[in-house]
Amino acid sequence: MKMRRKILLPLLAAGVLLSGCSRQEQEAAVYDESSIAMGTVVTERVYTQGEDPTADVLGTLSQIEREYLSWREEDSAVGKINLRAGKGRISADGQTIGYLLDPLKLAKKSGGAFDPTMGKLTRLWDVEAEDPKIPSQEEISRLLEESGYEKIHLGAEEDRGWVELEEGASIDLGAVGKGIGCDEAVAFLKKDPQVKGAVIAVGGSVLTLGAKPDGTPWKVAIRDPRGGQEELLGVLELEGERYVSTSGDYEKYFIQDGKRYHHILDPATGYPADAGLISVTVLGENGALSDGLSTACFVLGLEKGAELLKEYGAEGIFVDKDKKVYVTEGIREKFSLEASGYVVFPFPS
């Protein structure tokens, strides 16, 4: 058996439970890796009959971030679009258009609960700063005027297109970036027929692909939103190609005067979303959609979030402030509650 390193994933929003290799698994090469890419921890386990692909997966994620997604890089696709805000159209390749098209559809369907123009406001709040502070209403109102997904205009022709961004607006795909990373990792691994199975976590987004050699399900851990970093709410057992993303108010936050201020902002107010939920996990048809839907549903709250989830045909686990856990019917038997003090309820119909 070939083995690089076994590093257990620090549980973030959602994680992967990695255990030792069984005898059946020893018949395949198993490669584990944990590193940093896309500004977060990336943990991989890949079963393959070929060479170790984990470093190439990390390289792919870093390339996508650098060349397409990063608002920090002026030469990235997003950076170039932002520099042209208010100056007319800019040509874009099909990959860039693809990264923008589905998030804009989600923004529209969610009534703006998901919005890829919230980057300036997120940086204004800067909840991870050493001494974070609540911004003034004047600062928030000013940046709200510059925000809004309606300020992004797209056109597509065959494998190319154009993007026009209104003056003052700025694109930030951070709310779907980790999911995009999962999509790109799957696309890379599928090119290699010797890869038989994989589970990869990019921050709070997780993908499973193929199967384990022993036929047991993949186990995806969901963190207890009111517990420590390694305390579990529960575990999802999944098979085949699945995409899981979790958003919660416990990931990045500060507390002032007894109130929690977290990083998931409500585009309608510019303040941290407060619709009654503390954690949202979504299983969607791809990583970017799962990532974006978890944010949108968190902002919308239980009832409206359930409606949006149903519209997309996705599965979900919503946790509210009263520690009620709502699980969609399609994954109810795949989810096992581990934390005490929580109670599982049927998902709103």
Side-chain angles (χ1 to χ4, degrees), residues 168-189:
S170 177
I171 295 173
D172 186 337
L173 294 177
V176 293
K178 309 307 183 288
I180 289 174
C182 288
D183 294 334
E184 293 295 346
V186 165
F188 178 86
L189 291 174

Side-chain angles (χ1 to χ4, degrees), residues 22-34:
S22 68
R23 290 184 178 179
Q24 295 97 324
E25 290 171 342
Q26 292 176 13
E27 299 173 2
V30 185
Y31 294 104
D32 289 344
E33 184 60 274
S34 183

